[in-house]
Amino acid sequence: MSARSILTFLLAAAMLSGCATGGKKPAPKPGDTVFKKLEVAGVKLGDGKSVVRKFGSAKKSPLSGGDREVYEIYKPNAYISMLVLTFQDGRVRKMELRYFNGPTEHTLTSAGGWDGLRDYLIKRFGPPTRTGAAVPQLTDLRGLNAGYARFNGEWLFPKADRRIHYIALADAKGGVGAITFLDTSPRKNLPPGTAGSGEGPGSVGGPNPGF
């Protein structure tokens, strides 16, 4: 093979290599794939209203009205004080997990504290999109002043049509943490979903947020 032929071959190989690498899609965010497996006490975003029957403690919330039905579930498992499910078009559009520290509740501590919950979310879904008092709250829990929060932040996943909000307030007397998972997909395209498997959380050897 002549020197000219070798040069032509190398140039062609370099061009093909550049096309192969240049066409690669960026790696997905951790949350884009983990949402497919996200389950809280056997409930997934998109599930139908039949999931409510799994919980004997489920009560319809006064927040229900208009185009949404809200159910409050006390102690959906041993690690979460309350699970609040918001249904629209008969499907779960929002799941809110509440953790408390107080005279009778210690789920915030067992979940690792306000900072343990934050670190768990970061490990599972990546760093938050933004944090600070100006981040709008998604929780239906009233009276949480983000200006005094230990943490107030959100994770946005437009490709997965998902959004997470987490706010926590805590001091030596007690505390509260609320994690909200929101389905942001167009409602007319909301997948039908099926009831969750009912599997519980993993090992209880360390801090456990219950999902």
Side-chain angles (χ1 to χ4, degrees):
M1 183 180 288
S2 67
R4 184 173 181 179
S5 298
I6 293 174
L7 180 60
T8 301
F9 174 79
L10 291 174
L11 286 173
M15 290 177 65
L16 288 173
S17 176
C19 291
T21 57
K24 286 185 177 180
K25 296 182 179 179
K29 293 181 181 180
D32 288 337
T33 52
V34 78
F35 271 117
K36 296 178 180 179
K37 299 180 179 180
L38 177 65
E39 183 177 296
V40 181
V43 182
K44 296 179 180 179
L45 290 171
D47 278 352
K49 285 188 61 178
S50 62
V51 297
V52 175
R53 295 198 296 267
K54 298 170 59 176
F55 305 99
S57 63
K59 293 183 179 179
K60 197 168 185 178
S61 168
L63 296 173
S64 299
D67 66 344
R68 74 175 195 161
E69 288 187 66
V70 183
Y71 288 86
E72 297 176 348
I73 302 164
Y74 176 69
K75 284 289 186 180
N77 59 32
Y79 317 101
I80 302 170
S81 291
M82 182 174 287
L83 174 64
V84 183
L85 302 178
T86 298
F87 292 85
Q88 289 179 302
D89 301 325
R91 304 295 175 183
V92 178
R93 291 285 286 189
K94 185 168 76 169
M95 298 192 296
E96 183 178 319
L97 293 60
R98 297 177 182 175
Y99 304 84
F100 299 105
N101 276 349
T104 60
E105 291 288 325
H106 309 284
T107 51
L108 185 59
T109 294
S110 62
W114 70 267
D115 50 345
L117 276 176
R118 174 203 61 195
D119 295 346
Y120 178 84
L121 288 169
I122 291 174
K123 181 178 180 180
R124 189 163 180 181
F125 299 98
T129 305
R130 60 173 175 159
T131 61
V135 174
Q137 297 183 38
L138 293 181
T139 175
D140 284 319
L141 187 59
R142 305 304 186 195
L144 300 185
N145 188 333
Y148 297 101
R150 294 280 189 162
F151 182 88
N152 184 49
E154 66 178 357
W155 287 252
L156 301 178
F157 302 95
K159 291 184 179 179
D161 290 322
R162 296 291 185 267
R163 181 179 174 187
I164 304 173
H165 173 252
Y166 169 50
I167 184 171
L169 291 89
D171 57 24
K173 297 180 180 180
V176 57
I179 298 173
T180 306
F181 298 107
L182 181 67
D183 182 344
T184 60
S185 62
R187 290 174 60 183
K188 62 181 180 180
N189 296 325
L190 188 66
T194 56
S197 66
E199 296 179 359
S203 171
V204 296
N208 195 323
F211 67 95

